[in-house]
Amino acid sequence: MDKSTLRRIDNTLKHLTKVTSDIENIHPHLNETPNLKTLKSILDGEYHFDRDRLKELFEESSTFDEIFLNKSIHTDEHREQTLKACKEIIQLQIVKLSDMEKNPKKFLNWFETISLCDPSVSLKFAVQYNLWGGTILFLGTKKHHERYLDGIENGSILGVFGLTELGHGSNVNGLETTATYDEANQEFIINSPTWNSQKYWPGNISRHGQMATVFARLILRGVDKGIHAFVVPIRGEKSNQYPYGKLCDGVEVRDISLKDAYNGIDNGGLLLKNVRIPRENMLDRFSQVDAQGQYHSNIPPNRHFAMTMSVFFIGRACLSLNSLAFTKAGLSIAVNYAKNRHQFGATTKSKQELPIIAYSTTHRRLIPYIARTYALDMAHKTIADLIPTYPKETIHSYTSGFKAITSWAAVEALQSCREVMGGQGFRLCNRVSMLRNHADLVTTGEGDNTVLTQQVAKYLLGLYHQVVKGSKKSVEHLSFKGELAYINNLTAQPPTPNTNANQLSNISYHQWLLEKREFLLIKELHSRLYGRHDDELIEPNTERWFTVWNQSLPLCIRITKANVDRLTQSFFLKKIVEQSGSNLVDTATLTMLKNLCRLDSLVQIQKDFGFFVNTGLMSGESKWIQLEDEITHLSRDISQHASVLTQAFSIPNKFNPLQNSIE
Amino acid sequence: MDKSTLRRIDNTLKHLTKVTSDIENIHPHLNETPNLKTLKSILDGEYHFDRDRLKELFEESSTFDEIFLNKSIHTDEHREQTLKACKEIIQLQIVKLSDMEKNPKKFLNWFETISLCDPSVSLKFAVQYNLWGGTILFLGTKKHHERYLDGIENGSILGVFGLTELGHGSNVNGLETTATYDEANQEFIINSPTWNSQKYWPGNISRHGQMATVFARLILRGVDKGIHAFVVPIRGEKSNQYPYGKLCDGVEVRDISLKDAYNGIDNGGLLLKNVRIPRENMLDRFSQVDAQGQYHSNIPPNRHFAMTMSVFFIGRACLSLNSLAFTKAGLSIAVNYAKNRHQFGATTKSKQELPIIAYSTTHRRLIPYIARTYALDMAHKTIADLIPTYPKETIHSYTSGFKAITSWAAVEALQSCREVMGGQGFRLCNRVSMLRNHADLVTTGEGDNTVLTQQVAKYLLGLYHQVVKGSKKSVEHLSFKGELAYINNLTAQPPTPNTNANQLSNISYHQWLLEKREFLLIKELHSRLYGRHDDELIEPNTERWFTVWNQSLPLCIRITKANVDRLTQSFFLKKIVEQSGSNLVDTATLTMLKNLCRLDSLVQIQKDFGFFVNTGLMSGESKWIQLEDEITHLSRDISQHASVLTQAFSIPNKFNPLQNSIE
């Protein structure tokens, strides 16, 4: 990272850590109703017209009716409907493929909105645009762009992202598929040498895909040059007999059958038996093979694969928003249910039954997830803002960490919505269990969350080590930069709240706790791998290193959670400050946003309460019960406005059952 | 509770709390392989022949093939197959309906084994035997027994358990359905007065059920005598046109359509429009209506409903075992996957990829759940032992608490199995996501877990209050009985481990922590509702009481978790001691069991670490990391034997995919 980039990031982050004092004094009472229109406009963001056009289409076109929730349909029927839905969305011409690079904010906004209808539709776009399109756009050159991009964008060339194999998922560096150059014919011969090397899982394989980007080991004159990407036609011209084209010679596909979600996607396995493709089908942005079979690349071999993979952060951000959109829909449905469903009364004499939203258990089962959803929404918006200017490795770490934490949070939230709704949450037509199952896939799709947490931890560890290595100073006297600059300002004692204020509700206190935790966890991981005094370095890539690293993996998950929690609070606060400066937002709405931020921090702090107490960051008799009560009371206060908060998610009626009654 | 009962329970519990010292000295190393046969025999228990016969049937009969996992089938097809499977199981004549009362252990063992095949089959039995059969058996008298029990047992009279209504689930006391006595004709007129009063959710409604037990408000000469149960025919004679009988006059049914699980069950809604039934169709064990319409009952009106409901604990225990069986299957499948799936290597130079079971994240994602499964299995076995002699309210509390914690643990474990398996965990044919969705239903079926935790908390609070009320002594000088007798022996300081032993691995220390936690939580709840000094009693059933109680509901969940964790450890230890006294069990197997118990306790303690530290029960610098590492290391050590541990669950091959390879 060059110095000017670092300085720019430092400044952004300094701004982030400074903001809390400005909003600490907002009136803390929650009796006034926040403004629905304002909340909706904040959530919809600057591309709200795109959202409106899509939602209009959803409501008007019967293609977006979710038939599969009401009867057992054959997967082929579901897949055709999914494709039809994609084509109707394409006709709106809202985004261009190039927006992934040039206007990621618009693209992400569009993708999030699509996630509101049958989730298979958005995933079909993830396959077609992000992955198949993304490989052509990011790894190809002009000749590929000219040949394919239009067809990809308008849906006339459907394609496959052939990366993972049956035997290799997370460790894609171990792929077995080969691309052997044949000088005589100027062709590559693409081959799946084993059953385990079949391209496995990608959508568009078993039914719709005409082309595939196949990642394979490039073999030049017997030498393995590592993983490269190639465009391979898998189906020929369309005909009456073969509406999606007959399979090309040497191409074998299989369907991987029913799944727990996304059945509108034709996932499959793809075996290639010495399929020949012309030399120009190699995607040659980072490296090239000339006619004579000479290899050229500007990128060092050990960085080549990482470089190739680094362009796909946009897909990860999309899936993250996918799970966030499911959560918004699920919470809207569950809040409707909780308002309509009556149960028991305040006293056994009172004939009047209470809606279950009056119970503290319902508050606790819904409101913290609403808070988390607002917080993560604002965080995702902030990341979208940062993508164009921030360095790739930072964005890679952000999108990896946020995908992991957001999808895990989505499964947890939707499980809770399901349980709040009892049996009704179980009927497919009420959508919530269906959404939970889809969010679940996101936890391992586009990178297994557990593996992604290792990427985040390594990134943070690297930044930390850069500053600490070789220095004999204690950490307090070192100067951290960029992402870790917050460490420089970390005080030994927590900030003192205003007189009479409850420390537990103090946003600056939360921030201090979240920063302290992340710092202490990184320090712990660092001391394991580099020794307490930077003098017991374990040589990387040795068996001993592996043992220590392997035993530290649970710590990587903690670090990622800590990192994302800290960033989420900062990003949320940044958005609140922006709003508070705009004069368009009333105090009741700002107060609500601030309290959502406060509740989210408190809940995350409670989840790791043991750490905070044991490290001395929190203390005081019966703190556990104070924390429990603070969350219960804050959830209760916010619950009065649960409807407004979820209405602001503006889920289309078609996808928001139980608005009036429960049948 | 009479004195002799209390004394008996005291003695059992005293035995339970004494046992740890006996096994603390078992050799702690985990290198030797535990004996598969021994583990299997402990898990299979005394009715292992029943298990074997059922498993043989599953393997041999194609009726038990899970077609719905491989293709989208119409629910009618699924429901017919489910019924056929039930009839094949009935033909084995393993259990009698009366075993629910006379030999619950045999019945529960049978039910757990059935839970291994398509979960719809076991749930169909829960409907037919536990609920429809249970009402006749427990609420009916001789005339009902003679008329129905044989037909229920042999499956010729299929029936419905008509308790919950669309508008009333957990609060069944608010049911609207009426049963008005018509003296002139000596008939009851059963009526659903509103759309919301339709009997809603019960299986066997929409397709197979011929009779229903309908819970309705008994109206005698205009006076509402509360909820009573009645047998109502809903379908007539079977014919070619109506293979399950034509709907009777005044009976309307609907199907509630696709669900996220248990689609083999024909759940529905049932509306009764002034359906007339003879007087003898009232289930009259607890109360009777004579020909003249006079009401007779030996039970006080305010206890009548609770008495009626108290007989259904067996169904709750069955569902609890349902979710435990799913967990066993899911863990077996996931361990197979983790052994077969290779990923990355110890060093980038090593070509040899490691099976993912070698990674600490995999250990942490599977092994603690294996430990919890053993612990809960032993606990359920112990409860089955206690059912015949323990008082009903104790068993009600046990089955409620264990159903809640076991099903929540099942969802968590199966979610983790799903994630370990990546995309493969998502394919229905691999069963894991399917099992997760079924376990999920158990969290709200047969009593919403969240509501059940209130029952447990009230039970414990009641026992506590009995001793504390009116006494001016401090708690330390009071003598608790029965369930809470452990409080009498609670020391202020934790037991000291043997020299050099690590306190964290000390079973007596775990026990002390788990007991202290439960005690402190009950004390906290008590002081909220009764004042710190038993002098600020809030009058029950007032608005103020409701406010305090409502804000304390999250505490009830904590109390239940604490209670079940304590009991689980005690019950597991009891079983280990029984085994260690039998001379049939080798040291390696005993060592494994003890370490599973230890790991389970540690994991539960970690989940509530903040409480333990903040209350001063645990202390010491970096305890959080010691605890994390202790769990990581113990999980790693046990992981060497993960295969043996899951093989001992002996899941039939048909339901245990991925045993050899992953396709």
Side-chain angles (χ1 to χ4, degrees):
Chain A
M1 231 181 275
D2 63 63
K3 277 192 178 169
S4 72
T5 312
L6 273 174
R7 205 170 312 119
R8 199 176 57 242
I9 300 175
D10 278 1
N11 287 336
T12 320
L13 290 165
K14 212 171 288 165
H15 178 66
L16 290 183
T17 46
K18 217 185 76 27
V19 297
T20 57
S21 57
D22 304 339
I23 59 158
E24 201 69 76
N25 296 320
I26 294 175
H27 193 266
H29 294 301
L30 274 161
N31 293 330
E32 285 173 59
T33 310
N35 188 298
L36 174 59
K37 247 173 132 171
T38 311
L39 284 173
K40 190 172 164 333
S41 116
I42 296 170
L43 289 167
D44 279 357
E46 63 187 286
Y47 294 104
H48 53 94
F49 288 122
D50 294 351
R51 289 186 188 251
D52 293 342
R53 285 175 69 200
L54 284 164
K55 288 178 187 175
E56 211 175 299
L57 174 68
F58 297 158
E59 295 282 12
E60 284 175 4
S61 165
S62 64
T63 309
F64 292 88
D65 295 354
E66 296 175 304
I67 300 171
F68 71 104
L69 297 182
N70 293 300
K71 60 175 188 173
S72 303
I73 57 172
H74 194 281
T75 48
D76 287 347
E77 192 184 330
H78 194 174
R79 290 162 180 186
E80 290 314 306
Q81 197 190 0
T82 303
L83 182 56
K84 193 160 172 242
C86 289
K87 293 204 164 163
E88 291 182 16
I89 289 170
I90 287 172
Q91 273 165 17
L92 296 182
Q93 296 190 309
I94 293 175
V95 293
K96 298 201 183 80
L97 265 188
S98 57
D99 286 335
M100 288 196 284
E101 200 171 17
K102 291 181 185 150
N103 194 348
K105 203 165 162 181
K106 184 178 169 74
F107 190 87
L108 291 169
N109 177 74
W110 169 85
F111 194 93
E112 191 206 328
T113 313
I114 296 175
S115 306
L116 295 175
C117 71
D118 171 6
S120 289
V121 177
S122 52
L123 204 69
K124 192 86 173 172
F125 274 111
V127 173
Q128 175 70 6
Y129 278 17
N130 303 352
L131 298 173
W132 158 235
T135 44
I136 301 297
L137 185 68
F138 295 119
L139 304 179
T141 48
K142 201 172 165 223
K143 59 182 177 291
H144 306 110
H145 295 173
E146 286 174 358
R147 190 155 173 193
Y148 300 116
L149 286 186
D150 281 351
I152 295 172
E153 195 169 286
N154 68 29
S156 64
I157 311 176
L158 299 178
V160 168
F161 178 69
L163 177 64
T164 55
E165 297 176 355
L166 176 56
H168 288 88
S170 291
N171 182 16
V172 281
N173 218 350
L175 298 180
E176 291 180 82
T177 306
T178 52
T180 310
Y181 186 60
D182 169 9
E183 264 176 73
N185 296 297
Q186 296 207 25
E187 288 176 335
F188 291 104
I189 305 163
I190 311 291
N191 192 43
S192 315
T194 61
W195 176 252
N196 261 341
S197 72
Q198 66 182 289
K199 294 299 173 182
Y200 191 89
W201 196 252
N204 275 347
I205 281 186
S206 83
R207 196 166 170 87
H208 292 142
Q210 291 154 279
M211 316 285 286
T213 309
V214 173
F215 288 80
R217 319 199 75 81
L218 171 63
I219 310 290
L220 291 178
R221 298 178 192 170
V223 180
D224 182 343
K225 309 294 281 183
I227 310 291
H228 293 70
F230 304 84
V231 179
V232 182
I234 59 171
R235 285 185 177 87
E237 289 294 303
K238 296 169 188 173
S239 65
N240 280 346
Q241 198 187 345
Y242 299 104
Y244 297 104
K246 193 181 169 188
L247 284 177
C248 299
D249 288 345
V251 174
E252 291 173 21
V253 304
R254 52 191 283 239
D255 193 289
I256 61 168
S257 194
L258 292 185
K259 293 150 297 181
D260 194 35
Y262 295 109
N263 272 308
I265 304 293
D266 50 334
N267 300 106
L270 171 70
L271 274 158
L272 300 163
K273 298 291 179 63
N274 293 315
V275 175
R276 288 179 167 267
I277 54 167
R279 184 170 62 92
E280 60 266 26
N281 281 21
M282 175 166 161
L283 294 174
D284 56 355
R285 176 167 167 200
F286 295 130
S287 45
Q288 306 80 33
V289 171
D290 66 20
Q292 291 70 45
Q294 290 295 331
Y295 184 76
H296 305 273
S297 180
N298 296 327
I299 295 166
N302 63 343
R303 291 277 309 136
H304 190 275
F305 183 68
M307 196 75 186
T308 307
M309 290 297 109
S310 71
V311 298
F312 295 108
F313 67 83
I314 195 82
R316 205 159 277 157
C318 281
L319 275 212
S320 197
L321 285 172
N322 216 213
S323 68
L324 191 64
F326 303 159
T327 313
K328 289 180 182 175
L331 286 165
S332 302
I333 298 163
V335 166
N336 286 337
Y337 177 86
K339 273 165 42 199
N340 281 315
R341 173 71 167 183
H342 288 69
Q343 214 165 258
F344 302 100
T347 67
T348 51
K349 279 162 224 152
S350 63
K351 285 282 173 207
Q352 194 67 42
E353 289 182 299
L354 293 171
I356 63 167
I357 204 160
Y359 293 96
S360 73
T361 33
T362 310
H363 304 156
R364 290 294 295 267
R365 295 207 277 184
L366 293 178
I367 308 302
Y369 298 114
I370 293 178
R372 177 113 273 223
T373 302
Y374 271 83
L376 287 172
D377 181 278
M378 301 297 150
H380 279 79
K381 283 188 168 59
T382 308
I383 293 171
D385 291 337
L386 301 175
I387 286 175
T389 53
Y390 265 39
K392 271 214 167 57
E393 56 265 44
T394 308
I395 296 297
H396 174 72
S397 177
Y398 283 179
T399 51
S400 300
F402 273 88
K403 199 282 273 184
I405 301 306
T406 306
S407 57
W408 273 329
V411 172
E412 196 186 312
L414 289 162
Q415 177 68 27
S416 190
C417 290
R418 211 296 291 159
E419 292 182 31
V420 163
M421 292 172 64
Q424 291 289 351
F426 228 74
R427 296 174 68 197
L428 285 192
C429 61
N430 288 336
R431 301 189 88 237
V432 167
S433 58
M434 177 277 284
L435 293 169
R436 191 266 322 269
N437 297 351
H438 283 81
D440 174 20
L441 184 132
V442 180
T443 66
T444 56
E446 290 271 340
D448 179 350
N449 283 355
T450 299
V451 176
L452 291 181
T453 62
Q454 296 164 30
Q455 307 256 325
V456 176
K458 277 186 179 167
Y459 167 73
L460 295 169
L461 185 68
L463 292 179
Y464 186 87
H465 186 58
Q466 254 177 18
V467 176
V468 172
K469 75 174 165 195
S471 168
K472 293 288 166 202
K473 292 185 194 168
S474 73
V475 174
E476 290 68 30
H477 299 101
L478 294 171
S479 177
F480 291 88
K481 292 202 182 306
E483 191 61 36
L484 298 185
Y486 73 87
I487 298 175
N488 305 331
N489 303 316
L490 268 180
T491 53
Q493 293 302 315
T496 39
N498 303 341
T499 352
N500 294 328
N502 173 7
Q503 188 185 44
L504 270 181
S505 71
N506 191 260
I507 289 180
S508 310
Y509 177 56
H510 303 162
Q511 190 172 40
W512 181 81
L513 288 172
L514 295 173
E515 290 178 349
K516 275 278 190 184
R517 175 176 61 162
E518 183 182 339
F519 164 62
L520 290 175
L521 287 171
I522 297 174
K523 197 172 151 194
E524 172 68 30
L525 181 65
H526 187 265
S527 77
R528 284 177 175 227
L529 288 160
Y530 292 93
R532 298 277 154 190
H533 304 288
D534 191 29
D535 50 6
E536 304 152 34
L537 171 67
I538 304 167
E539 200 184 333
N541 207 18
T542 58
E543 294 279 350
R544 189 172 154 228
W545 184 90
F546 174 74
T547 305
V548 176
W549 173 249
N550 191 19
Q551 293 301 306
S552 305
L553 297 182
L555 198 53
C556 293
I557 298 177
R558 279 179 178 255
I559 287 176
T560 304
K561 176 81 171 72
N563 175 248
V564 170
D565 284 348
R566 174 182 64 79
L567 288 170
T568 299
Q569 197 219 27
S570 285
F571 292 160
F572 195 178
L573 291 175
K574 182 170 179 288
K575 286 285 171 195
I576 296 174
V577 172
E578 281 170 20
Q579 296 302 330
S580 78
S582 77
N583 285 329
L584 294 170
V585 186
D586 59 297
T587 316
T589 306
L590 273 181
T591 302
M592 176 55 79
L593 290 174
K594 189 184 72 164
N595 279 291
L596 289 171
C597 179
R598 181 180 274 167
L599 176 60
D600 180 51
S601 300
L602 279 171
V603 170
Q604 308 317 319
I605 288 164
Q606 191 191 39
K607 283 189 178 174
D608 214 2
F609 181 54
F611 174 87
F612 292 110
V613 185
N614 187 229
T615 51
L617 300 178
M618 287 179 96
S619 59
E621 209 187 327
S622 299
K623 195 69 144 199
W624 70 273
I625 194 79
Q626 287 169 34
L627 187 55
E628 180 85 68
D629 284 347
E630 183 73 17
I631 292 170
T632 300
H633 295 153
L634 199 48
S635 298
R636 178 197 58 198
D637 291 347
I638 295 174
S639 76
Q640 306 165 61
H641 310 296
S643 279
V644 175
L645 291 170
T646 50
Q647 277 167 36
F649 295 149
S650 59
I651 307 301
N653 289 330
K654 190 178 268 185
F655 309 126
N656 193 9
L658 305 183
Q659 285 165 93
N660 302 309
S661 65
I662 302 155
E663 300 232 325
Chain B
M1 230 181 275
D2 63 62
K3 278 193 178 170
S4 72
T5 312
L6 273 175
R7 204 170 313 119
R8 199 177 58 243
I9 298 175
D10 278 1
N11 287 337
T12 320
L13 289 166
K14 212 171 289 166
H15 179 66
L16 290 183
T17 46
K18 218 185 73 29
V19 297
T20 57
S21 57
D22 304 339
I23 60 158
E24 202 68 76
N25 297 320
I26 295 175
H27 193 267
H29 294 302
L30 274 161
N31 294 329
E32 284 173 59
T33 309
N35 188 297
L36 174 59
K37 248 174 131 170
T38 310
L39 284 173
K40 190 173 166 328
S41 114
I42 295 170
L43 289 167
D44 278 357
E46 64 187 285
Y47 295 104
H48 53 94
F49 288 122
D50 295 350
R51 289 185 189 252
D52 292 343
R53 283 174 70 200
L54 284 164
K55 289 178 187 175
E56 211 175 299
L57 175 67
F58 297 157
E59 294 282 12
E60 284 175 4
S61 166
S62 64
T63 309
F64 292 88
D65 296 354
E66 296 174 304
I67 299 171
F68 71 104
L69 297 182
N70 292 300
K71 59 175 187 174
S72 304
I73 58 172
H74 194 280
T75 48
D76 287 347
E77 192 184 330
H78 194 175
R79 290 161 180 186
E80 290 314 307
Q81 196 189 0
T82 302
L83 181 57
K84 194 163 172 239
C86 289
K87 293 205 162 162
E88 291 182 17
I89 289 170
I90 287 173
Q91 273 166 19
L92 296 182
Q93 297 189 309
I94 293 175
V95 292
K96 297 202 183 80
L97 266 188
S98 58
D99 286 335
M100 288 196 284
E101 199 170 18
K102 292 183 185 148
N103 195 347
K105 203 165 162 180
K106 183 179 169 74
F107 190 86
L108 291 169
N109 177 74
W110 170 85
F111 194 93
E112 191 206 328
T113 313
I114 295 174
S115 306
L116 294 175
C117 71
D118 171 6
S120 289
V121 177
S122 52
L123 204 69
K124 191 86 173 172
F125 274 112
V127 172
Q128 174 70 7
Y129 278 17
N130 302 353
L131 298 173
W132 158 235
T135 44
I136 300 296
L137 184 68
F138 295 118
L139 305 179
T141 49
K142 198 172 167 226
K143 58 183 177 291
H144 306 110
H145 296 172
E146 286 174 358
R147 188 152 174 196
Y148 301 117
L149 286 185
D150 281 351
I152 295 173
E153 194 170 286
N154 67 30
S156 63
I157 311 177
L158 299 178
V160 168
F161 177 69
L163 178 64
T164 54
E165 298 176 355
L166 176 56
H168 288 88
S170 292
N171 182 16
V172 282
N173 218 350
L175 298 180
E176 292 180 82
T177 306
T178 52
T180 310
Y181 186 61
D182 170 9
E183 264 178 73
N185 295 298
Q186 295 207 26
E187 288 176 334
F188 291 104
I189 305 163
I190 311 290
N191 193 43
S192 316
T194 61
W195 176 254
N196 261 343
S197 72
Q198 67 182 288
K199 294 299 174 183
Y200 192 90
W201 197 252
N204 274 346
I205 281 186
S206 83
R207 198 168 168 86
H208 293 142
Q210 290 153 280
M211 315 285 287
T213 309
V214 173
F215 289 80
R217 319 199 74 83
L218 171 63
I219 310 290
L220 291 178
R221 298 178 193 170
V223 180
D224 182 342
K225 309 295 280 183
I227 310 291
H228 293 71
F230 304 84
V231 179
V232 182
I234 59 170
R235 285 185 178 85
E237 289 295 302
K238 296 169 189 173
S239 64
N240 280 346
Q241 198 186 346
Y242 299 104
Y244 296 104
K246 194 181 167 188
L247 284 177
C248 298
D249 288 345
V251 174
E252 290 172 21
V253 305
R254 53 191 283 238
D255 193 290
I256 61 167
S257 194
L258 292 183
K259 293 150 296 180
D260 194 35
Y262 294 110
N263 272 308
I265 303 293
D266 49 336
N267 299 106
L270 172 70
L271 273 157
L272 300 163
K273 298 292 180 61
N274 294 314
V275 175
R276 288 180 166 266
I277 55 167
R279 185 171 62 92
E280 60 266 27
N281 280 23
M282 175 165 161
L283 294 174
D284 55 353
R285 176 166 167 200
F286 296 129
S287 45
Q288 306 81 33
V289 171
D290 67 20
Q292 290 70 43
Q294 290 294 330
Y295 184 77
H296 306 272
S297 179
N298 296 328
I299 295 166
N302 63 343
R303 292 276 309 135
H304 191 274
F305 183 70
M307 197 73 187
T308 307
M309 290 297 108
S310 71
V311 298
F312 295 109
F313 67 84
I314 195 82
R316 206 158 276 157
C318 281
L319 275 213
S320 197
L321 286 172
N322 215 214
S323 67
L324 191 65
F326 303 158
T327 313
K328 289 179 182 174
L331 287 165
S332 302
I333 297 163
V335 165
N336 286 337
Y337 177 85
K339 273 164 43 198
N340 282 314
R341 173 71 167 182
H342 289 68
Q343 214 163 259
F344 301 101
T347 68
T348 51
K349 280 163 224 152
S350 63
K351 286 281 173 208
Q352 194 67 43
E353 289 182 298
L354 293 171
I356 63 167
I357 205 162
Y359 293 97
S360 73
T361 34
T362 310
H363 305 156
R364 289 295 294 267
R365 294 207 278 184
L366 294 177
I367 308 303
Y369 298 114
I370 293 178
R372 178 112 272 221
T373 302
Y374 271 83
L376 287 171
D377 182 279
M378 301 297 151
H380 279 79
K381 283 188 167 58
T382 308
I383 293 171
D385 291 339
L386 301 175
I387 287 175
T389 53
Y390 265 38
K392 271 215 167 56
E393 57 264 45
T394 308
I395 296 297
H396 174 71
S397 178
Y398 284 180
T399 51
S400 300
F402 272 88
K403 199 281 274 183
I405 302 305
T406 306
S407 56
W408 273 329
V411 172
E412 197 186 313
L414 289 162
Q415 177 68 26
S416 190
C417 290
R418 210 298 289 160
E419 292 182 31
V420 163
M421 292 171 65
Q424 291 289 350
F426 228 74
R427 296 174 68 196
L428 286 191
C429 61
N430 288 336
R431 299 189 89 237
V432 167
S433 58
M434 177 277 285
L435 292 169
R436 190 265 324 267
N437 297 351
H438 283 81
D440 174 20
L441 184 131
V442 180
T443 66
T444 56
E446 290 271 342
D448 179 350
N449 283 355
T450 299
V451 176
L452 291 181
T453 62
Q454 296 164 29
Q455 308 256 326
V456 176
K458 276 186 180 166
Y459 167 73
L460 296 169
L461 186 68
L463 291 179
Y464 186 86
H465 186 58
Q466 254 178 16
V467 176
V468 171
K469 75 174 164 196
S471 169
K472 293 287 166 204
K473 292 186 196 170
S474 72
V475 174
E476 291 68 31
H477 299 102
L478 294 172
S479 177
F480 292 88
K481 292 203 182 305
E483 191 61 34
L484 297 185
Y486 73 88
I487 298 174
N488 305 331
N489 303 317
L490 268 180
T491 53
Q493 293 303 314
T496 38
N498 304 342
T499 352
N500 292 329
N502 173 6
Q503 188 185 44
L504 270 182
S505 71
N506 191 260
I507 288 179
S508 310
Y509 178 55
H510 303 162
Q511 190 171 41
W512 181 81
L513 288 172
L514 295 173
E515 290 177 349
K516 275 279 188 183
R517 175 176 60 163
E518 184 182 340
F519 163 63
L520 291 175
L521 288 170
I522 297 174
K523 197 171 153 196
E524 172 68 30
L525 181 65
H526 187 265
S527 78
R528 285 177 174 226
L529 288 160
Y530 292 92
R532 298 278 154 189
H533 304 287
D534 192 29
D535 50 6
E536 305 151 33
L537 172 65
I538 304 167
E539 199 183 333
N541 208 19
T542 58
E543 294 280 350
R544 189 173 153 227
W545 183 90
F546 174 74
T547 305
V548 176
W549 173 249
N550 191 19
Q551 293 301 308
S552 305
L553 298 182
L555 198 55
C556 293
I557 299 177
R558 279 179 179 255
I559 287 176
T560 304
K561 176 81 171 72
N563 175 249
V564 170
D565 285 349
R566 174 182 63 81
L567 289 170
T568 300
Q569 197 219 26
S570 284
F571 292 160
F572 194 0
L573 291 176
K574 182 170 180 287
K575 286 285 170 195
I576 296 175
V577 172
E578 280 170 21
Q579 296 301 331
S580 78
S582 77
N583 285 330
L584 294 169
V585 185
D586 58 297
T587 316
T589 306
L590 273 180
T591 302
M592 177 55 79
L593 290 174
K594 189 185 71 163
N595 279 291
L596 289 171
C597 179
R598 180 178 276 167
L599 176 60
D600 180 51
S601 300
L602 280 171
V603 170
Q604 307 317 318
I605 288 164
Q606 191 190 41
K607 282 189 180 176
D608 213 3
F609 181 54
F611 175 88
F612 291 110
V613 184
N614 187 229
T615 50
L617 299 178
M618 288 179 96
S619 60
E621 209 188 328
S622 298
K623 196 69 144 198
W624 71 274
I625 194 80
Q626 286 169 35
L627 186 54
E628 180 85 68
D629 284 347
E630 184 72 16
I631 292 170
T632 301
H633 294 152
L634 198 49
S635 299
R636 178 196 59 198
D637 292 348
I638 295 174
S639 76
Q640 305 165 62
H641 310 296
S643 280
V644 175
L645 291 170
T646 50
Q647 277 167 37
F649 295 148
S650 59
I651 307 302
N653 288 329
K654 190 178 270 186
F655 308 125
N656 194 8
L658 306 182
Q659 284 165 95
N660 301 311
S661 65
I662 302 155
E663 300 232 326

